[in-house]
Each structure stands twice: as structure tokens, then as C-alpha cells.
Amino acid sequence: MINDKKVLFSGMQATGNLTLGNYLGALKNWITLSDEYECFYSVVDMHSITVRQDPATLRKRARALLTLYIAAGLDPKKNCIYYQSHVSGHAELAWILNCFTYMGELNRMTQFKDKSSKHADNINAGLFTYPVLMASDILLYQTDVVPVGIDQMQHLELTRNIAERFNNIYGDVFTVPEAYIGKVGAKIMSLQDPAKKMSKSDENPNGSIYLMDDPDTIMRKFKRAVTDSEGMICYRPEQPGVKNLIDIYCACTGKTPQEVEREFAGKGYGELKPAVGEAVIAVLKPLQDEVARLSQEKSYLDGIIKENAEKANYYAMKTLRKVQKKVGFPERIR
Ligand code: ATP
Ligand code: LTN
């Protein structure tokens, strides 16, 4: 607990351009949670280098992501928004937790299997121990809840196992975190292949709506979205393309799938698609304007970055010192 509130931690990688899936499935949920919890939202740049990055691009994207967190509505005075690499405790705790994690556990991680097949020329040890760094992110702040997509559940389970293992040996050191999976927009699918999730690393840009896409591009992508030959607007698994469009429409307008079915009864895909496009533009346009405005406020952003890194560091150090003492590192002489 911090200030009598439960602690929430989440993070995103600054790799690629964020998609509507990232926004509706993650960022938008964060905003609804930010009053109830003491929140830490990190730009996890240390995770990003498990895959080779161009330094200038990574730096630019990390700043853009941090700006986006704020533009999307996370108040940086209330929420601790910071770069993971500015708080050395993440790496220090990760080393310790590496010594409490088994090779067999890491070998089972599906994200590792996926990423190592995609980057066969660079299967580095960081990619393998990625989940331990993620566990450190979470445990460092004595986190109670972690809002993540379903794809991250396996990493969260591992985090809980590591925390419990450590607590069994040394007493109650870590809070054992719970996952928080949002209801709306839990999984947005690709517009070109509704069996695949919308992903920022998809090679086909037509499958994803990027948060910075202009209105014409958004409209064009929706008009080209893959549907089916049923010709009716029903919310059911047999029509995954249409179902995905309805999910997006609902997430952007607050309507329920049943309301949408009624709204489009007797109408065709030619009417549904532009309506979804308009709804998405109405959500993204103000976000894009705010990103543009904030990006100009250099010294304001720099101030936030500094202040929040100090705040994160304060809480991180509290946990880290406790852990170091438990495992037997010698006391510091002041
Ligand atoms: P990559 O393609 O690089 O693996 P990604 O687009 O899948 O990236 P992540 O960085 O892995 O995104 O995820 C950031 C957050 O966004 C996570 O909480 C994840 O669950 C959520 N998320 C990603 N894609 C979607 C999606 N299509 N629908 C809903 N949530 C998503
Ligand atoms: N692995 C996550 C990003 C991530 C994260 C975290 C999420 C890194 N550390 C801690 C929640 C909590 C991803 O790829 N989406």
C-alpha cells in the first residue's frame, strides 16, 4: 500500500508504433484505474533491447510513448510515469531474481519461443530472462494489480511463482500480484486477418490502425477490412471480421454489441465499415492533437521525467534494500 491505496504497475515497450489494440486493450483501461490505485506506468526501454534497436529510434519512440501516456489522460502528477532505465533497481532486482528462477520455467515461456523463432540470428540471454526483468518491474513496487492483455498472463504467473518462492524462504518480502484483464477491448484483431491479434510488429500495415494514422488512412483501412460473405451484421464467432468491427465500434462509442446489431439491422458492411472508421477517428483525433501539443512542451515533459524517476526510485530502493538484506549482502556503511 502507498498512501492507503493499492499499488498498480504496468508497462509498454517502445518498439514499433502503437496500435488501436494497444490503446483499447491497455492504455484506455489504465486511465479508468488511475484514481483507485497508486499507479506506476513505465516505458520499459530495458526490455526493448532484447531485440536489436537503432539507438536514435529507440530514444525517439520512448519519448513518444511517454508523451502518449500523458496525452491519453494519465495525469503525471498522480501517476508515476517514467523510463525503466532511469531506475537502476529494476536491473539490480532482476539479477537477484534470476537466481530464484529455473531454466525450465523460462524455457516454457511462449513469448520466448515466438520471439526466438522471429529473431533466430539473435537469441540472446536477455530475451531468455526477459520475464525475470518483468517480474522485477512488478515486485519492486510491491504491486497488487497488473493490468495486462491475456498474452502476458504466463509472465504474470511466473512473477507470482517467483514471489511466492522468495517469500517461502525469507518471509513476507514481496506482495504477490494479481492480473487485471479489462473487459472492453480485451483483444482487438487484425483488420486483414481476424484470426490474428492486431499487433504493432505485423508486417502488413493494413491490418493495424496506428494511433498516429491520419483520418484518410484510417477510413481506407476500415473500408478494406476483411469481413465475410454472410452479408448481415451479427455479433457472433462465425463472423470474426464483423465481430471485431463491432468490438472496435463498441469500445469507441460505449455502445453494447446488441445496440449495434439493432442500429445496423438490415444494413450492409458498406455502412458498418465507415461508421466504425468515423468512431475511431473521433477517438484518435483529440489524442493526436494532444500528443502534438505536449510534444512542444519540452521543459514541462523533462520536469515530469525527472520528478517521476525520483519518485519511482524512492519506492524501488525501499524494496531493493530489504531484498539485499534478506539474501545476505553486507550492510552499507553510511
Ligand atoms: P508486438 O507486436 O511488438 O509484440 P504488441 O502490439 O503485441 O507488440 P505489446 O507491447 O506486447 O503489444 O503490448 C502492450 C500492451 O497492449 C499489452 O498489455 C497487451 O496485452 C496490449 N495489446 C497488444 N495488442 C493488443 C490487441 N490486439 N488487443 C488488445 N490488447 C492488446
Ligand atoms: N512484457 C510486456 C511489457 C511489460 C510489462 C511489465 C507489463 C514489461 N514489464 C510489467 C506489465 C508489467 C509486454 O510485452 N506487453
Side-chain angles (χ1 to χ4, degrees):
M1 299 284 255
I2 298 177
N3 301 328
D4 287 335
K5 283 183 177 173
K6 285 191 169 182
V7 177
L8 179 152
F9 185 98
S10 202
M12 270 196 221
Q13 292 196 63
T15 36
N17 295 317
L18 256 62
T19 70
L20 188 63
N22 299 128
Y23 179 70
L24 297 177
L27 201 48
K28 195 160 173 260
N29 285 319
W30 293 4
I31 290 147
T32 62
L33 294 166
S34 72
D35 281 336
E36 194 182 338
Y37 295 94
E38 186 73 32
C39 300
F40 293 83
Y41 293 115
S42 187
V43 171
V44 291
D45 48 357
M46 288 161 66
H47 278 100
S48 299
I49 63 162
T50 53
V51 172
R52 206 62 77 222
Q53 304 288 335
D54 169 59
T57 310
L58 178 60
R59 207 177 341 266
K60 213 167 97 198
R61 283 190 172 147
R63 177 109 178 173
L65 183 55
L66 188 130
T67 309
L68 186 72
Y69 283 2
I70 302 171
L74 294 173
D75 179 349
K77 295 278 171 205
K78 289 197 208 137
N79 302 280
C80 190
I81 293 173
Y82 73 101
Y83 297 121
Q84 182 189 32
S85 62
H86 285 191
V87 180
S88 63
H90 289 256
E92 293 183 69
L93 183 61
W95 171 254
I96 296 174
L97 296 185
N98 267 322
C99 305
F100 291 85
T101 308
Y102 299 116
M103 299 288 284
E105 289 177 306
L106 295 176
N107 258 324
R108 284 196 290 275
M109 295 293 124
T110 52
Q111 183 171 305
F112 172 68
K113 290 184 210 164
D114 279 2
K115 297 252 157 149
S116 47
S117 67
K118 272 193 205 156
H119 304 276
D121 55 337
N122 181 22
I123 306 177
N124 60 71
L127 194 62
F128 189 62
T129 61
Y130 177 115
V132 184
L133 181 58
M134 176 160 165
S136 306
D137 298 343
I138 297 168
L139 299 179
L140 202 49
Y141 300 96
Q142 305 292 352
T143 302
D144 296 282
V145 289
V146 186
V148 277
I150 295 158
D151 56 313
Q152 294 299 314
M153 274 308 281
Q154 202 187 22
H155 289 163
L156 202 76
E157 253 337 290
L158 177 69
T159 303
R160 291 167 54 87
N161 291 341
I162 297 172
E164 280 166 357
R165 183 172 304 146
F166 198 94
N167 286 351
N168 281 335
I169 306 173
Y170 299 105
D172 275 342
V173 177
F174 294 123
T175 302
V176 180
E178 304 276 345
Y180 175 96
I181 309 274
K183 286 160 237 75
V184 184
K187 202 165 182 189
I188 303 296
M189 310 310 282
S190 159
L191 299 184
Q192 289 298 309
D193 177 1
K196 265 188 2 197
K197 78 163 191 168
M198 186 181 283
S199 161
K200 51 183 147 65
S201 56
D202 193 342
E203 317 81 63
N204 181 356
N206 290 323
S208 303
I209 300 290
Y210 299 105
L211 296 184
M212 295 302 138
D213 275 350
D214 62 53
D216 287 349
T217 309
I218 295 174
M219 213 36 134
R220 183 175 48 76
K221 287 182 179 175
F222 276 109
K223 284 187 179 159
R224 281 198 196 169
V226 169
T227 46
D228 51 58
S229 52
E230 302 271 335
M232 51 183 185
I233 295 166
C234 291
Y235 187 76
R236 54 191 194 125
E238 294 79 14
Q239 293 180 258
V242 173
K243 181 174 177 290
N244 188 40
L245 291 176
I246 297 178
D247 276 330
I248 295 174
Y249 192 62
C250 290
C252 292
T253 57
K255 293 180 184 169
T256 65
Q258 293 68 37
E259 284 168 343
V260 180
E261 280 182 341
R262 259 178 269 134
E263 184 179 342
F264 290 95
K267 295 183 180 163
Y269 301 157
E271 279 161 283
L272 175 66
K273 288 176 176 182
V276 183
E278 289 299 348
V280 169
I281 292 166
V283 168
L284 294 190
K285 183 73 176 53
L287 183 65
Q288 294 173 354
D289 291 347
E290 185 58 10
V291 167
R293 190 191 66 78
L294 262 177
S295 308
Q296 303 299 316
E297 307 263 343
K298 189 172 177 309
S299 59
Y300 166 75
L301 283 176
D302 287 347
I304 297 291
I305 290 169
K306 182 165 179 286
E307 258 171 49
N308 280 333
E310 280 163 9
K311 178 174 167 189
N313 196 54
Y314 170 80
Y315 290 107
M317 280 303 152
K318 270 173 73 158
T319 302
L320 185 67
R321 294 289 176 250
K322 199 161 147 191
V323 171
Q324 288 171 329
K325 194 166 164 196
K326 290 284 183 186
V327 297
F329 292 169
E331 234 173 279
R332 276 154 208 265
I333 315 292
R334 283 175 224 256

